[in-house]
Amino acid sequence: MTRKSKLLKWIGGGVALLLALLLVLPLLFKGTIASRVKTAVNQNVNARVDWRDVGLTFFRHFPNLTLTLHDLSTVGVNKFQGDTLAAVRHLRVVLDLASVLGNVMGGKPVVIRAIELDQPRLRLITLEDGAASWDIVKKPAEQPAEAKASKPMAVSLRRLAISDAAALFDNRRAKLKATVAGYDQTLSGDFSQTNVAVRTKADADTVSVTYAGIPYLNKVKLALDADVQADLARKAYTIRRTDLSLNDLKLGVTGSAATAGRNTALDLAFKAPSTSFRSILSLIPAVYAHDFDKVKTSGTIAVDGKVQGEYGASAFPSFAVRSKVVNGAFQYPDLPLPARDIAVDLALTNPGGSADSTLVRLDRFHLRLGRNPVDARMTLRTPVSDPDLDARVTGKVDLADVHRTVKLEGIDQLAGTVAADAGVRTRMSYIDKKQYDRVNASGTVDVAGFTLKGKTLPHPLTITQASLALAPQRAQLKSFSGTIGSSDLQATGQIENLLAFALRDDTLKGTASIRSNRFNLTEWQSGGGDLQIIPVPPKIDFGLDATINRLDYAPLTMTNARGKLRVKDQRVTLEDFRVNTLGGEVAVTGFYETTDTTKPTFDVGLKMTRLDIQSAFKSLATVQALAPVAKYAVGQVSTDLKLNGALGKNMLPLFPGLAGGGALQTTEVELHDFPMMDKIVDVTKLQFLDNPTLQALKTAFQIKAGRLFVQPFDVKIGGTTLNVAGSNGLDQSLEYDLSLKVPRSMLGSAANGALSSLAAKAEGAGINLNAAEQINLGIKVGGTVTSPTVVPDATSLASSVKSGAEQAVKQAAQQKVDSAAARAVAEAEQKAGQIRAEGQKAADAVKAEGYRQADSLLARANNPFLKAAAKPAADQLRKQADGKAANIVAESNKRADDLVAEARRKAGQP
């Protein structure tokens, strides 16, 4: 082997060994490093930090290690228990190799060189009490001793990268809300130095900002390119160069930010270098979204502002933002009408100290579309604690002019007029406290000839006429008439909480009476014929009194629909809502809820009165699934049932999860070609069961686990009695036990007739069926509705004969006993009558003798003085006679009652 080949061999071996080490070392240290990182993080934050998996490799940023945490999550605790503060699909941390080895061998700090975040999702919330969800770093006093003693990490960043981020910032205390989507950022600089020059570039697909209920940015595209000088020791940052773009609006930002205790001291100023109206026009989403580069504009703008002071939990900086538009106009080259005479004078100011000190003044807004001008003004004070609003709008808009001026995606036709002359001056507290005498609200909003058609609308919408009148307590919907698709609507009512709904996103409340001659739900079906899920909107609390003369939902036609509906908390509650359909009436009480719009739920009580069974089967999927016998039945049914469950995307019940029950009764019902009855006739040869007529029946049932369970009930059929118990499933399976009580006279000769095989089995057991007056025939039914199985029960025949004979003997013996007992009771009652008569006769004699003695005593007194002395004695004699007579009668009655009671006791009578 030559020297050269040996050298190549050693080099190849070294490379192989290096590659092996690069592959093996991460596997050896991955668990240790990940464990120490998780321990260190959780020791230093008031949150639960976790991840699904860990990766460690040399190959991404050689020679440094790259630690990747997959599906990282940070979940809040305490006030933010269960809230996800951050979720990151992939977090990559580039670790200095020497520091990693030093940490594993001797506990030295791990040095971080770079951080990459892939698809982070942030929810940054500040509550009304000032608590912030992201304030999770523990204070030194809260950290465990081992966390204080060790220094597991050090930062020597060169690069920070964020890709496809989304964030929500919701400061509920300051009424400030912002959302960012599709955010990318790179940040570079030598963070190992105390003073570092930072270069950052960022962009976002959409940014939205709402303050005090007013949207200032709505889905605006953002781009940022900045150079910042960072003094890491003082935590002070000076903006050296900044290019900030919001859609087409360019802003130059200068100033500084520095840490001031627990606050941040800000001194920032910004200004738009361009004076073209086009720049600020780009912030209007409807204009910017369609061919904005082709829009012709004129007019000038001025945008500038500044922020000065400290910002923190108990500090708020002063700021001033001003925007002014003069003689603005724009026109799409392919649309015939320009928007012109646009003027805006808007200012936001705050002297500092509190967000509630903000003053929003829209001193002027003017716009002309076609020949119609629109003017508005607004002043808003104390937007956080108690919004103080003074606003007015006047003007008329021809919506056809809007369609000729602005490109509206998905809109094919827009017409009609909206005229407004309305104003409001109030504090929100006046409305909250119902101090309507302090509210100044007046004016009208009128709509006429409104038409809206488009590809995104399921059906055209027209408003023939509508009028809304503002008032301090509530807005009155004086009239509304229109159509949606082929359905007409008329309404009147009142709207409460309109200002709170507009300014604070509170729930809109109100009541209305709705009328319709014909409402066609069939039009809301999908192309496959299924009804689509209709979501119930949130933040609505409306009571509706509805009357619909005709309500169509193919194949159902319903008339005289009437009742009350309540729309609240994404739920529609029906109160005794009634319709006439299927030859009878249906009353519904319950609710339909779409808090989960993919799986609506319902809980209803249905009272159906005299519905035609055939029509119900053809029209109602629930009847087809739960009562398949209806397909073969002719008659009427009434039912009172409770039912709850979930609905699928086609608005049909998810039958396996249905639960409920109720009671059912029918008129006389004819069964035609019912496979189960046909099979019973084939097996038993009982011809009176062929297409039988069932007398009216009543029963109760339960629905659970995908089956309908029928409680046992009796029904008269062909001069016999049929007892039914069991269940049927959504898979059309049958599990029923039938018991048929058949008079012997209807069977003919058992040995030669319908039940010959069963008769032979019974006679083999010593039972003569021909001797029985009534046969109890048990039948087990299985299989399915269209292919049933029928198995008669021979044991039931034998038991019916045996029990019949035993019952006959018992009845004969009982008749003899009952006859003797009746005679004994009759004799006792006759003797008792004699005792009562003899007692009454003796009592009458004693009473007569006592009265005779009293009369004699009075007769012997021959002067008034003697008569007066004798009268008390005579009265006493009469009283004694009455008492003796009553005792004689009571004693004789007791003897008579005891005699009869004893006779009845022996006879077993009550």
Side-chain angles (χ1 to χ4, degrees), residues 510-514 542-546 563-567 572-573:
T511 58
S513 294
I514 298 176
F542 253 78
L544 304 176
D545 187 350
K564 296 183 182 299
L565 297 85
R566 178 77 179 273
V567 181
V572 177
T573 301

Side-chain angles (χ1 to χ4, degrees), residues 210 444 453 549 621 632:
T210 301
T444 59
K453 296 180 181 179
N549 293 334
Y632 310 97

Side-chain angles (χ1 to χ4, degrees), residues 228-240 253-260 263-269 307-311:
V228 178
Q229 190 67 35
D231 186 339
L232 300 182
R234 295 174 49 244
K235 296 183 180 179
Y237 308 91
T238 302
I239 300 174
R240 299 171 60 184
V253 183
T254 59
S256 64
T259 299
N263 299 328
T264 301
L266 301 172
D267 187 359
L268 302 171
V307 180
Q308 290 180 324
E310 294 187 1
Y311 177 78

Side-chain angles (χ1 to χ4, degrees), residues 125-319:
I125 299 173
T126 301
L127 301 180
E128 287 80 356
D129 62 2
S133 65
W134 68 88
D135 186 13
I136 61 174
V137 178
K138 290 182 179 179
K139 299 176 179 60
E142 298 176 312
Q143 297 176 2
E146 60 272 21
K148 299 177 184 178
S150 62
K151 295 182 179 180
M153 296 229 177
V155 176
S156 182
L157 273 178
R158 296 293 190 277
R159 180 174 177 272
L160 171 67
I162 301 172
S163 62
D164 193 19
L168 165 68
F169 177 77
D170 186 3
N171 189 329
R172 299 170 187 176
R173 188 178 190 180
K175 305 296 183 183
L176 176 64
K177 187 174 184 178
T179 59
V180 180
Y183 181 78
D184 298 324
Q185 181 178 11
T186 59
L187 184 149
S188 59
D190 186 359
F191 287 90
S192 64
Q193 304 298 316
T194 301
N195 203 306
V196 56
V198 180
R199 177 71 184 273
T200 183
K201 296 187 70 174
D203 60 78
D205 293 338
T206 62
V207 175
S208 299
V209 178
T210 301
Y211 178 58
I214 301 174
Y216 291 94
L217 297 178
N218 185 9
K219 296 184 178 179
V220 171
K221 184 176 180 63
L222 176 145
L224 173 68
D225 188 351
D227 291 335
V228 178
Q229 190 67 35
D231 186 339
L232 300 182
R234 295 174 49 244
K235 296 183 180 179
Y237 308 91
T238 302
I239 300 174
R240 299 171 60 184
R241 181 191 62 83
T242 300
D243 294 324
L244 174 64
S245 299
L246 302 173
N247 283 350
D248 203 50
L249 177 65
K250 311 294 185 182
L251 293 174
V253 183
T254 59
S256 64
T259 299
R262 302 187 65 179
N263 299 328
T264 301
L266 301 172
D267 187 359
L268 302 171
F270 61 88
K271 187 175 182 179
S274 172
T275 60
S276 170
F277 171 63
R278 180 186 188 87
S279 298
I280 202 165
L281 180 67
S282 71
L283 299 184
I284 301 176
V287 178
Y288 185 75
H290 304 283
D291 300 328
F292 183 73
D293 57 328
K294 299 178 182 178
V295 175
K296 300 176 181 178
T297 65
S298 63
T300 62
I301 67 161
V303 178
D304 61 82
K306 62 181 180 179
V307 180
Q308 290 180 324
E310 294 187 1
Y311 177 78
S314 58
F316 199 84
S318 67
F319 67 82

Side-chain angles (χ1 to χ4, degrees), residues 589-702:
T589 299
F591 69 80
Y592 160 78
E593 186 174 68
T594 60
T595 49
D596 180 355
T597 55
T598 64
K599 193 176 180 181
T601 59
F602 68 95
D603 188 339
V604 297
L606 295 171
K607 189 170 185 179
M608 307 179 188
T609 305
R610 300 184 70 83
L611 266 60
D612 179 73
I613 295 177
Q614 276 287 299
S615 299
F617 179 83
K618 293 176 181 177
S619 304
L620 301 177
T622 304
V623 174
Q624 296 170 10
L626 298 176
V629 65
K631 179 179 180 179
Y632 310 97
V634 176
Q636 293 180 327
V637 63
S638 299
T639 183
D640 190 353
L641 74 97
K642 299 282 188 182
L643 199 62
N644 63 76
L647 301 173
K649 293 182 179 180
N650 56 2
M651 288 292 284
L652 289 177
L654 300 176
F655 289 107
L658 280 184
L664 174 147
Q665 65 183 69
T666 70
T667 60
E668 186 176 87
V669 175
E670 299 177 10
L671 291 179
H672 296 284
D673 302 322
F674 184 26
M676 186 185 82
M677 297 305 295
D678 292 344
K679 189 71 173 180
I680 291 175
V681 171
D682 288 343
V683 172
T684 65
K685 304 299 187 291
L686 297 175
Q687 294 303 316
F688 64 85
L689 298 178
D690 187 18
N691 292 334
T693 297
L694 310 181
Q695 299 301 310
L697 63 88
K698 293 183 180 181
T699 187
F701 58 89
Q702 282 190 324

Side-chain angles (χ1 to χ4, degrees), residues 247-551:
N247 283 350
D248 203 50
L249 177 65
K250 311 294 185 182
L251 293 174
V253 183
T254 59
S256 64
T259 299
R262 302 187 65 179
N263 299 328
T264 301
L266 301 172
D267 187 359
L268 302 171
F270 61 88
K271 187 175 182 179
S274 172
T275 60
S276 170
F277 171 63
R278 180 186 188 87
S279 298
I280 202 165
L281 180 67
S282 71
L283 299 184
I284 301 176
V287 178
Y288 185 75
H290 304 283
D291 300 328
F292 183 73
D293 57 328
K294 299 178 182 178
V295 175
K296 300 176 181 178
T297 65
S298 63
T300 62
I301 67 161
V303 178
D304 61 82
K306 62 181 180 179
V307 180
Q308 290 180 324
E310 294 187 1
Y311 177 78
S314 58
F316 199 84
S318 67
F319 67 82
V321 179
R322 294 177 179 84
S323 175
K324 193 168 185 177
V325 176
V326 178
N327 294 326
F330 71 89
Q331 183 178 12
Y332 286 89
D334 52 347
L335 291 180
L337 197 65
R340 54 196 174 88
D341 297 343
I342 301 172
V344 178
D345 192 351
L346 173 66
L348 285 78
T349 58
N350 188 306
S354 169
D356 202 34
S357 300
T358 301
L359 173 63
V360 181
R361 291 182 61 96
L362 177 63
D363 288 332
R364 186 184 183 209
F365 174 85
H366 179 80
L367 167 70
R368 186 178 292 274
L369 287 177
R371 294 173 296 176
N372 298 311
V374 177
D375 290 278
R377 62 172 177 79
M378 182 195 71
T379 301
L380 178 65
R381 296 179 174 87
T382 58
V384 177
S385 64
D386 185 12
D388 183 349
L389 178 69
D390 183 1
R392 185 155 198 93
V393 59
T394 58
K396 181 178 180 179
V397 176
D398 186 332
L399 297 175
D401 288 345
V402 175
H403 202 206
R404 291 194 292 266
T405 302
V406 181
K407 293 185 176 183
L408 303 174
E409 186 176 359
I411 302 300
D412 298 326
Q413 182 180 353
L414 180 64
T417 61
V418 178
D421 186 359
V424 61
R425 175 73 173 90
T426 185
R427 285 182 176 271
M428 288 307 306
S429 59
Y430 300 160
I431 297 173
D432 294 338
K433 297 175 182 178
K434 303 188 184 304
Q435 296 173 337
Y436 299 111
D437 58 319
R438 307 180 71 175
V439 177
N440 184 359
S442 61
T444 59
V445 179
D446 296 304
V447 179
F450 177 86
T451 300
L452 180 62
K453 296 180 181 179
K455 299 180 180 63
T456 59
L457 298 173
H459 306 290
L461 172 64
T462 66
I463 301 176
T464 305
Q465 185 272 335
S467 180
L468 181 70
L470 298 184
Q473 185 169 355
R474 57 180 63 90
Q476 295 286 341
L477 181 62
K478 297 165 63 177
S479 62
F480 177 95
S481 61
T483 63
I484 180 165
S486 64
S487 305
D488 67 283
L489 284 173
Q490 300 84 44
T492 58
Q494 57 189 24
I495 302 173
E496 301 178 16
N497 214 36
L498 186 59
L499 289 178
F501 174 75
L503 295 180
R504 294 195 311 212
D505 200 24
D506 281 2
T507 298
L508 185 65
K509 300 180 180 179
T511 58
S513 294
I514 298 176
R515 303 288 182 270
S516 176
N517 290 318
R518 178 174 182 262
F519 201 92
N520 189 2
L521 277 174
T522 304
E523 294 179 337
W524 295 84
Q525 292 176 329
S526 65
D530 295 325
L531 191 65
Q532 296 175 309
I533 292 175
I534 303 174
V536 183
K539 296 189 179 299
I540 297 292
D541 183 358
F542 253 78
L544 304 176
D545 187 350
T547 300
I548 304 173
N549 293 334
R550 175 174 169 177
L551 183 61

